[in-house]
Every structure is written in C-alpha cells, then in structure tokens.
Amino acid sequence: MNKKNKENISFHPGYYISEIIDDLEITQEEFAVRLGTSPKNISKLVNGEANISIELAMKLSNMLNTSPEVWLNLQKKYDLQLIEQSKKAELAKQIDLIKEIDYNYFVKLWDLPKTRNDEEKIQNLCSFLSIANLSILTQKGYNLSFRNGIKEPQQKNILSANVWVETATKMGRSYDIKNYNEDKLISTIHKLVGMTTLSLDKCIAKIKTMLAECGVALVMLPYLKNSGLHGVVKWLSKKKVLVAISDRIKYVDTFWFTLFHELGHVLQKRIKDISYTWDSHENDELEQDADLFAQETLIPEKQYSQFLKQGIFSSVKILEFAKQINRDPGIIVGRLQNDIIIQHSQNNNLRSKIPEICFNV
C-alpha cells in the first residue's frame, strides 16, 4: 500500500481511544469511570460497535484537553469512508446488472443518451425509471400479475421483467383515463369482441379510448429481451388500472387473447395483490380463471364444442366457423393450436401479424 492510500484510510474513533488507554496504562473500566460513562460503552466504542456522540465528544475534550470537534470530525471522516466503500460495492453490483439489460432498447424508444460507460447507463436508466438503484428490480415479488412463459426465471429475467413493467407503468401514469367503472368495462368488453375482425392498426386507438373511459390504461410496449412478458396488470391506484401488452408473440390473435386475459385479471380486482406468474402451464386458480375468461370471451365454449365435433379443421372450415361467430380466423387457429387439436405449423396463413405501428411509443 502506497503512502497516498495510507493517508486516505480513516479509523474508527474507538481505535484512537484504545491507544490512549494503552498510553495511560489503565484499564477500560478505569477509563470509563474517569470519563463518566459505563465500561460497556467504552468496550463497544473501542470495538467499533458504537459511535461518538456529542455528549461523549464533550467529555473526551474535557478529559484529554482537545476540542469536541476533533472527535466528531474523526467520526464523520470514518462514516464518510464507510459510505464510499458501500457505494463502490453497490456500484459493482449494479454494473453487473446493467449488463443484463438491453440498454439500447431505451436509446431507441426513449432517446436515452447513447453511451458505453456502464455508470452512465445506470444513472440514465435509474433516472428514467425513478428508482434509487437497479438492485431494487431484482426482487421476484416486486411487481404484480402477468403472463410469462419462462419456467425457471434467472436474475436477468426477473430484472428485465421488472424494468419492462416499470416502463409500462411510467407510460400508463401519463395517460388521461377516467376512474375505474366495472359495469362499463364489462359492457366495453362485449363491444371489443366485435372488433376482432378489424385491422388492428385501424382500431387500436379506439380500443385505447374505449378502455380509458372505463379507467383502464392500455399500454402497447415493445418486448424487452429476457423479460418473457406477454402482458401485465397493475393497479395504479384504487381507481385506475394499467394493462400493458408486449409484442413478444407478434400475432394478432395472441394480442386479443392477452388483452382479454389481462382484462379478466382486472375484473378480479386484486388491487393489493402482488404475484408473479412465470409458467403459463402451471398457473394458479386466478390465472386459470383469467385464461378461461379470455377463451370464453373470444370463442364461446358451446359453439367451440360443436365446431370440434365436426372433426374437420381445414382452412375452409375454420373460415366458415370464424364467420359464423364473427371472429378473426386467426383466433380460431390459435385456440386449436393451443389445445393441440392441430399442430403449431398448421393454418398459420390464417393468422395475421401485429402491425408495428401498434407498438409505437
């Protein structure tokens, strides 16, 4: 260690008191008596387990012919050193975390400054998300209820999912929406079903407006790598709720299913509930209810069962059934694929891709 580093090291005030006790050739107990405090206080101070108080600084100044400021400054200098050490350790941890986040996503979508400096990336992203540090977003239970297809999430998945949700939350809070009205939402859901045959880019603005009238902020946010997210529900307050949807799966039928799945969660009204749903194949009861709600809303079970009984799932039959129930044929294909009635490679010509314009932020 060079001389400069030695000069930068600060010791706990108890270190100097220990040396003074040795120089006086007395015990800690006797020193405590002379100082007018308890032996326990001196023991804790010498071992760095207690700090110098104003009262103790006054007593030390009288006993040792020093100023109180000498002892208070020693304590302050030591405390600042601990803060710097803690900051360095936290920064090192955050640098590991920022490497797991697609920073360019925010440069592209939100005009965050381009930089190769990890510390600048951390500062920019924390400021954008209004958080103190990235470590906050590594907690698996930090956010809400959402659809995610990752069975065994790693730290990068949890982190990216929370970053995506925080971004969606930021967007949702900026939307002008009315207070939540459940009756109006139920009525609106019935109207939305009739819009599934329309081109999504032509009606997405109207969908957002209709939901805003019900107290629901619909955010269409591009997929963030490693997040695994399809959609999310988060109550912004008791009167306003966020529904965010990603373009992880770029088919229109997936959008509609995710939308109604999340609206099913909204109707459950779990305002204070915070939970993660990482594996869509091992869902809890509430997740299953949201799935059933979306399925029944998009394709009524009675009509679906009658269609299945025919046993023919050609493009022609699917188109006929879609027309019969006034649905986008891609919705029928998606359901048949999900139920393993047909293979995932079949009838995809009837599924439409989501226009990129729908996810312009």
Side-chain angles (χ1 to χ4, degrees):
M1 184 180 294
N2 59 39
K3 182 177 181 182
K4 183 177 179 180
N5 287 337
K6 285 183 178 179
E7 291 174 350
N8 288 336
I9 293 178
S10 298
F11 295 97
H12 188 279
Y15 169 83
Y16 301 103
I17 291 175
S18 178
E19 288 192 333
I20 291 171
I21 292 173
D22 290 341
D23 290 342
L24 292 174
E25 297 183 342
I26 60 177
T27 65
Q28 289 186 15
E29 288 77 9
E30 184 177 346
F31 186 84
V33 171
R34 290 172 179 273
L35 191 61
T37 189
S38 69
K40 182 179 180 180
N41 286 342
I42 295 301
S43 176
K44 292 179 70 174
L45 193 62
V46 167
N47 290 314
E49 298 172 357
N51 294 336
I52 295 288
S53 64
I54 294 176
E55 180 184 1
L56 202 55
M58 291 290 294
K59 290 181 178 181
L60 286 167
S61 68
N62 291 332
M63 179 179 180
L64 302 172
N65 194 28
T66 64
S67 68
E69 289 78 14
V70 168
W71 297 100
L72 293 175
N73 285 338
L74 283 173
Q75 185 67 58
K76 181 179 180 181
K77 191 174 180 181
Y78 178 76
D79 290 343
L80 288 174
Q81 178 176 274
L82 291 182
I83 290 173
E84 285 302 312
Q85 291 173 350
S86 178
K87 285 173 63 177
K88 287 179 180 178
E90 180 58 36
L91 178 60
K93 182 177 181 180
Q94 290 201 76
I95 286 175
D96 288 338
L97 294 178
I98 197 65
K99 294 182 185 300
E100 296 184 339
I101 299 173
D102 181 8
Y103 181 80
N104 287 331
Y105 175 91
F106 297 92
V107 173
K108 179 181 177 181
L109 295 179
W110 301 98
D111 293 324
L112 262 62
K114 290 183 178 180
T115 179
R116 294 185 177 182
N117 184 288
D118 287 335
E119 290 186 40
E120 291 179 1
K121 289 181 181 179
I122 293 166
Q123 182 177 359
N124 293 338
L125 192 55
C126 285
S127 177
F128 174 76
L129 297 175
S130 300
I131 55 175
N133 60 70
L134 298 177
S135 300
I136 293 170
L137 302 181
T138 60
Q139 304 170 42
K140 188 175 179 181
Y142 180 80
N143 266 307
L144 48 143
S145 171
F146 58 69
R147 294 187 64 221
N148 185 300
I150 299 176
K151 292 186 178 182
E152 297 180 1
Q154 305 298 312
Q155 177 176 267
K156 65 181 180 181
N157 305 123
I158 298 169
L159 178 62
S160 294
N162 278 323
V163 167
W164 188 88
V165 170
E166 285 300 302
T167 305
T169 301
K170 181 184 180 78
M171 292 178 64
R173 291 193 188 283
S174 70
Y175 285 16
D176 183 18
I177 63 175
K178 294 187 177 181
N179 289 338
Y180 178 70
N181 185 316
E182 184 173 295
D183 291 337
K184 194 165 188 176
L185 177 59
I186 293 172
S187 175
T188 296
I189 287 172
H190 292 307
K191 295 175 184 177
L192 290 176
V193 175
M195 298 170 65
T196 62
T197 58
L198 303 177
S199 178
L200 192 57
D201 57 330
K202 297 294 192 299
C203 65
I204 191 64
K206 185 175 181 180
I207 293 170
K208 289 183 177 182
T209 300
M210 291 169 66
L211 289 173
E213 291 291 315
C214 306
V216 178
L218 175 61
V219 170
M220 305 285 284
L221 184 60
Y223 176 71
L224 177 62
K225 185 174 68 176
N226 295 323
S227 67
L229 293 181
H230 297 277
V232 65
V233 169
K234 180 177 182 178
W235 285 85
L236 304 176
S237 69
K238 291 182 178 180
K239 297 182 178 180
K240 296 181 180 180
V241 60
L242 164 73
V243 169
I245 294 177
S246 83
D247 60 349
R248 183 188 184 196
I249 308 295
K250 301 183 185 297
Y251 284 108
V252 170
D253 61 283
T254 303
F255 161 78
W256 284 113
F257 183 85
T258 301
L259 175 63
F260 289 118
H261 174 96
E262 303 306 344
L263 291 176
H265 277 310
V266 173
L267 293 174
Q268 292 169 354
K269 209 171 182 180
R270 294 181 291 165
I271 295 176
K272 296 183 179 180
D273 184 43
I274 298 177
S275 64
Y276 267 59
T277 304
W278 287 101
D279 187 348
S280 58
H281 298 292
E282 297 179 7
N283 294 334
D284 61 22
E285 185 176 345
L286 292 171
E287 279 292 306
Q288 291 174 11
D289 286 347
D291 276 345
L292 290 174
F293 177 80
Q295 290 175 0
E296 179 65 23
T297 301
L298 286 169
I299 310 176
E301 187 60 32
K302 183 177 180 180
Q303 292 169 293
Y304 183 57
S305 296
Q306 291 174 349
F307 173 64
L308 293 182
K309 287 179 181 179
Q310 297 179 16
I312 303 174
F313 309 110
S314 64
S315 294
V316 173
K317 290 296 183 181
I318 290 173
L319 286 168
E320 288 178 356
F321 181 53
K323 185 176 181 180
Q324 176 189 333
I325 64 173
N326 191 32
R327 299 290 188 272
D328 175 3
I331 292 173
I332 315 301
V333 175
R335 177 67 182 276
L336 291 171
Q337 290 179 353
N338 182 74
D339 292 348
I340 320 179
I341 304 297
I342 63 175
Q343 297 181 5
H344 284 279
S345 59
Q346 289 182 269
N347 301 108
N348 283 324
N349 59 304
L350 299 180
R351 303 176 74 194
S352 302
K353 291 292 187 70
I354 300 174
E356 289 186 10
I357 194 174
C358 294
F359 284 89
N360 284 350
V361 298

PDB file of all heavy atoms in Angstrom, residues 29-48:
ATOM      1  N   GLU A  29     -12.098  -0.138  32.189  1.00  0.00           N
ATOM      2  CA  GLU A  29     -13.038   0.154  33.263  1.00  0.00           C
ATOM      3  C   GLU A  29     -12.675   1.454  33.965  1.00  0.00           C
ATOM      4  O   GLU A  29     -13.546   2.297  34.251  1.00  0.00           O
ATOM      5  CB  GLU A  29     -13.061  -0.995  34.277  1.00  0.00           C
ATOM      6  CG  GLU A  29     -13.729  -2.266  33.794  1.00  0.00           C
ATOM      7  CD  GLU A  29     -12.839  -3.068  32.829  1.00  0.00           C
ATOM      8  OE1 GLU A  29     -11.650  -2.708  32.683  1.00  0.00           O
ATOM      9  OE2 GLU A  29     -13.344  -4.041  32.226  1.00  0.00           O
ATOM     10  N   GLU A  30     -11.374   1.630  34.230  1.00  0.00           N
ATOM     11  CA  GLU A  30     -10.942   2.856  34.906  1.00  0.00           C
ATOM     12  C   GLU A  30     -11.136   4.070  33.997  1.00  0.00           C
ATOM     13  O   GLU A  30     -11.549   5.140  34.448  1.00  0.00           O
ATOM     14  CB  GLU A  30      -9.468   2.759  35.315  1.00  0.00           C
ATOM     15  CG  GLU A  30      -9.001   3.979  36.111  1.00  0.00           C
ATOM     16  CD  GLU A  30      -7.558   3.865  36.584  1.00  0.00           C
ATOM     17  OE1 GLU A  30      -7.000   2.742  36.532  1.00  0.00           O
ATOM     18  OE2 GLU A  30      -6.998   4.900  36.998  1.00  0.00           O
ATOM     19  N   PHE A  31     -10.844   3.880  32.720  1.00  0.00           N
ATOM     20  CA  PHE A  31     -11.037   4.978  31.760  1.00  0.00           C
ATOM     21  C   PHE A  31     -12.507   5.394  31.731  1.00  0.00           C
ATOM     22  O   PHE A  31     -12.820   6.580  31.677  1.00  0.00           O
ATOM     23  CB  PHE A  31     -10.576   4.536  30.363  1.00  0.00           C
ATOM     24  CG  PHE A  31     -10.606   5.637  29.338  1.00  0.00           C
ATOM     25  CD1 PHE A  31      -9.539   6.523  29.235  1.00  0.00           C
ATOM     26  CD2 PHE A  31     -11.700   5.792  28.489  1.00  0.00           C
ATOM     27  CE1 PHE A  31      -9.562   7.548  28.292  1.00  0.00           C
ATOM     28  CE2 PHE A  31     -11.735   6.805  27.558  1.00  0.00           C
ATOM     29  CZ  PHE A  31     -10.668   7.695  27.453  1.00  0.00           C
ATOM     30  N   ALA A  32     -13.399   4.386  31.774  1.00  0.00           N
ATOM     31  CA  ALA A  32     -14.835   4.666  31.757  1.00  0.00           C
ATOM     32  C   ALA A  32     -15.243   5.469  32.986  1.00  0.00           C
ATOM     33  O   ALA A  32     -16.038   6.417  32.884  1.00  0.00           O
ATOM     34  CB  ALA A  32     -15.618   3.357  31.701  1.00  0.00           C
ATOM     35  N   VAL A  33     -14.686   5.109  34.160  1.00  0.00           N
ATOM     36  CA  VAL A  33     -15.004   5.833  35.390  1.00  0.00           C
ATOM     37  C   VAL A  33     -14.537   7.280  35.287  1.00  0.00           C
ATOM     38  O   VAL A  33     -15.257   8.219  35.631  1.00  0.00           O
ATOM     39  CB  VAL A  33     -14.351   5.139  36.606  1.00  0.00           C
ATOM     40  CG1 VAL A  33     -14.500   6.014  37.856  1.00  0.00           C
ATOM     41  CG2 VAL A  33     -14.981   3.780  36.846  1.00  0.00           C
ATOM     42  N   ARG A  34     -13.286   7.478  34.810  1.00  0.00           N
ATOM     43  CA  ARG A  34     -12.733   8.827  34.684  1.00  0.00           C
ATOM     44  C   ARG A  34     -13.534   9.668  33.676  1.00  0.00           C
ATOM     45  O   ARG A  34     -13.651  10.876  33.813  1.00  0.00           O
ATOM     46  CB  ARG A  34     -11.275   8.748  34.231  1.00  0.00           C
ATOM     47  CG  ARG A  34     -10.335   8.188  35.293  1.00  0.00           C
ATOM     48  CD  ARG A  34      -8.947   7.955  34.711  1.00  0.00           C
ATOM     49  NE  ARG A  34      -8.029   7.438  35.715  1.00  0.00           N
ATOM     50  CZ  ARG A  34      -7.303   8.203  36.540  1.00  0.00           C
ATOM     51  NH1 ARG A  34      -7.408   9.530  36.462  1.00  0.00           N
ATOM     52  NH2 ARG A  34      -6.500   7.664  37.424  1.00  0.00           N
ATOM     53  N   LEU A  35     -14.075   8.990  32.646  1.00  0.00           N
ATOM     54  CA  LEU A  35     -14.815   9.701  31.608  1.00  0.00           C
ATOM     55  C   LEU A  35     -16.268   9.955  31.996  1.00  0.00           C
ATOM     56  O   LEU A  35     -16.929  10.816  31.426  1.00  0.00           O
ATOM     57  CB  LEU A  35     -14.769   8.894  30.289  1.00  0.00           C
ATOM     58  CG  LEU A  35     -15.259   9.589  29.027  1.00  0.00           C
ATOM     59  CD1 LEU A  35     -14.410  10.825  28.718  1.00  0.00           C
ATOM     60  CD2 LEU A  35     -15.229   8.641  27.842  1.00  0.00           C
ATOM     61  N   GLY A  36     -16.740   9.233  33.001  1.00  0.00           N
ATOM     62  CA  GLY A  36     -18.120   9.405  33.428  1.00  0.00           C
ATOM     63  C   GLY A  36     -19.111   8.658  32.569  1.00  0.00           C
ATOM     64  O   GLY A  36     -20.215   9.144  32.299  1.00  0.00           O
ATOM     65  N   THR A  37     -18.714   7.478  32.119  1.00  0.00           N
ATOM     66  CA  THR A  37     -19.607   6.637  31.338  1.00  0.00           C
ATOM     67  C   THR A  37     -19.453   5.194  31.797  1.00  0.00           C
ATOM     68  O   THR A  37     -18.678   4.908  32.720  1.00  0.00           O
ATOM     69  CB  THR A  37     -19.316   6.770  29.825  1.00  0.00           C
ATOM     70  OG1 THR A  37     -20.338   6.090  29.095  1.00  0.00           O
ATOM     71  CG2 THR A  37     -17.957   6.190  29.464  1.00  0.00           C
ATOM     72  N   SER A  38     -20.142   4.279  31.175  1.00  0.00           N
ATOM     73  CA  SER A  38     -20.093   2.881  31.615  1.00  0.00           C
ATOM     74  C   SER A  38     -18.986   2.122  30.876  1.00  0.00           C
ATOM     75  O   SER A  38     -18.638   2.454  29.730  1.00  0.00           O
ATOM     76  CB  SER A  38     -21.428   2.196  31.353  1.00  0.00           C
ATOM     77  OG  SER A  38     -21.634   2.052  29.951  1.00  0.00           O
ATOM     78  N   PRO A  39     -18.422   1.089  31.518  1.00  0.00           N
ATOM     79  CA  PRO A  39     -17.418   0.247  30.850  1.00  0.00           C
ATOM     80  C   PRO A  39     -17.957  -0.374  29.557  1.00  0.00           C
ATOM     81  O   PRO A  39     -17.222  -0.561  28.594  1.00  0.00           O
ATOM     82  CB  PRO A  39     -17.113  -0.829  31.898  1.00  0.00           C
ATOM     83  CG  PRO A  39     -17.414  -0.180  33.201  1.00  0.00           C
ATOM     84  CD  PRO A  39     -18.607   0.704  32.934  1.00  0.00           C
ATOM     85  N   LYS A  40     -19.268  -0.668  29.551  1.00  0.00           N
ATOM     86  CA  LYS A  40     -19.883  -1.258  28.352  1.00  0.00           C
ATOM     87  C   LYS A  40     -19.801  -0.299  27.167  1.00  0.00           C
ATOM     88  O   LYS A  40     -19.505  -0.712  26.040  1.00  0.00           O
ATOM     89  CB  LYS A  40     -21.333  -1.619  28.646  1.00  0.00           C
ATOM     90  CG  LYS A  40     -22.050  -2.283  27.475  1.00  0.00           C
ATOM     91  CD  LYS A  40     -23.477  -2.643  27.844  1.00  0.00           C
ATOM     92  CE  LYS A  40     -24.187  -3.300  26.657  1.00  0.00           C
ATOM     93  NZ  LYS A  40     -25.600  -3.658  26.995  1.00  0.00           N
ATOM     94  N   ASN A  41     -20.044   0.994  27.440  1.00  0.00           N
ATOM     95  CA  ASN A  41     -19.967   1.984  26.370  1.00  0.00           C
ATOM     96  C   ASN A  41     -18.556   2.083  25.801  1.00  0.00           C
ATOM     97  O   ASN A  41     -18.361   2.178  24.582  1.00  0.00           O
ATOM     98  CB  ASN A  41     -20.409   3.362  26.875  1.00  0.00           C
ATOM     99  CG  ASN A  41     -21.908   3.446  27.054  1.00  0.00           C
ATOM    100  OD1 ASN A  41     -22.659   2.640  26.508  1.00  0.00           O
ATOM    101  ND2 ASN A  41     -22.359   4.436  27.833  1.00  0.00           N
ATOM    102  N   ILE A  42     -17.566   2.059  26.678  1.00  0.00           N
ATOM    103  CA  ILE A  42     -16.171   2.144  26.224  1.00  0.00           C
ATOM    104  C   ILE A  42     -15.782   0.899  25.451  1.00  0.00           C
ATOM    105  O   ILE A  42     -15.093   0.968  24.425  1.00  0.00           O
ATOM    106  CB  ILE A  42     -15.225   2.348  27.427  1.00  0.00           C
ATOM    107  CG1 ILE A  42     -15.495   3.691  28.090  1.00  0.00           C
ATOM    108  CG2 ILE A  42     -13.767   2.260  26.990  1.00  0.00           C
ATOM    109  CD1 ILE A  42     -15.331   4.876  27.161  1.00  0.00           C
ATOM    110  N   SER A  43     -16.223  -0.264  25.916  1.00  0.00           N
ATOM    111  CA  SER A  43     -15.913  -1.522  25.223  1.00  0.00           C
ATOM    112  C   SER A  43     -16.490  -1.508  23.809  1.00  0.00           C
ATOM    113  O   SER A  43     -15.816  -1.880  22.842  1.00  0.00           O
ATOM    114  CB  SER A  43     -16.476  -2.703  26.012  1.00  0.00           C
ATOM    115  OG  SER A  43     -16.269  -3.912  25.308  1.00  0.00           O
ATOM    116  N   LYS A  44     -17.734  -1.073  23.685  1.00  0.00           N
ATOM    117  CA  LYS A  44     -18.370  -1.014  22.365  1.00  0.00           C
ATOM    118  C   LYS A  44     -17.683   0.013  21.474  1.00  0.00           C
ATOM    119  O   LYS A  44     -17.521  -0.196  20.259  1.00  0.00           O
ATOM    120  CB  LYS A  44     -19.847  -0.669  22.513  1.00  0.00           C
ATOM    121  CG  LYS A  44     -20.673  -1.767  23.174  1.00  0.00           C
ATOM    122  CD  LYS A  44     -22.130  -1.381  23.328  1.00  0.00           C
ATOM    123  CE  LYS A  44     -22.833  -1.328  21.974  1.00  0.00           C
ATOM    124  NZ  LYS A  44     -24.294  -1.080  22.140  1.00  0.00           N
ATOM    125  N   LEU A  45     -17.248   1.110  22.057  1.00  0.00           N
ATOM    126  CA  LEU A  45     -16.569   2.155  21.294  1.00  0.00           C
ATOM    127  C   LEU A  45     -15.215   1.664  20.789  1.00  0.00           C
ATOM    128  O   LEU A  45     -14.873   1.823  19.613  1.00  0.00           O
ATOM    129  CB  LEU A  45     -16.384   3.397  22.178  1.00  0.00           C
ATOM    130  CG  LEU A  45     -15.967   4.689  21.483  1.00  0.00           C
ATOM    131  CD1 LEU A  45     -17.027   5.122  20.501  1.00  0.00           C
ATOM    132  CD2 LEU A  45     -15.735   5.788  22.526  1.00  0.00           C
ATOM    133  N   VAL A  46     -14.456   1.032  21.647  1.00  0.00           N
ATOM    134  CA  VAL A  46     -13.128   0.514  21.277  1.00  0.00           C
ATOM    135  C   VAL A  46     -13.240  -0.547  20.197  1.00  0.00           C
ATOM    136  O   VAL A  46     -12.389  -0.653  19.309  1.00  0.00           O
ATOM    137  CB  VAL A  46     -12.415  -0.047  22.533  1.00  0.00           C
ATOM    138  CG1 VAL A  46     -11.191  -0.881  22.136  1.00  0.00           C
ATOM    139  CG2 VAL A  46     -11.991   1.097  23.450  1.00  0.00           C
ATOM    140  N   ASN A  47     -14.305  -1.323  20.229  1.00  0.00           N
ATOM    141  CA  ASN A  47     -14.500  -2.391  19.247  1.00  0.00           C
ATOM    142  C   ASN A  47     -15.224  -1.912  17.977  1.00  0.00           C
ATOM    143  O   ASN A  47     -15.569  -2.726  17.121  1.00  0.00           O
ATOM    144  CB  ASN A  47     -15.291  -3.543  19.881  1.00  0.00           C
ATOM    145  CG  ASN A  47     -14.477  -4.286  20.922  1.00  0.00           C
ATOM    146  OD1 ASN A  47     -13.323  -4.619  20.685  1.00  0.00           O
ATOM    147  ND2 ASN A  47     -15.077  -4.539  22.082  1.00  0.00           N
ATOM    148  N   GLY A  48     -15.432  -0.620  17.902  1.00  0.00           N
ATOM    149  CA  GLY A  48     -16.071  -0.065  16.697  1.00  0.00           C
ATOM    150  C   GLY A  48     -17.540  -0.372  16.578  1.00  0.00           C
ATOM    151  O   GLY A  48     -18.112  -0.287  15.490  1.00  0.00           O
TER     152      GLY A  48
END
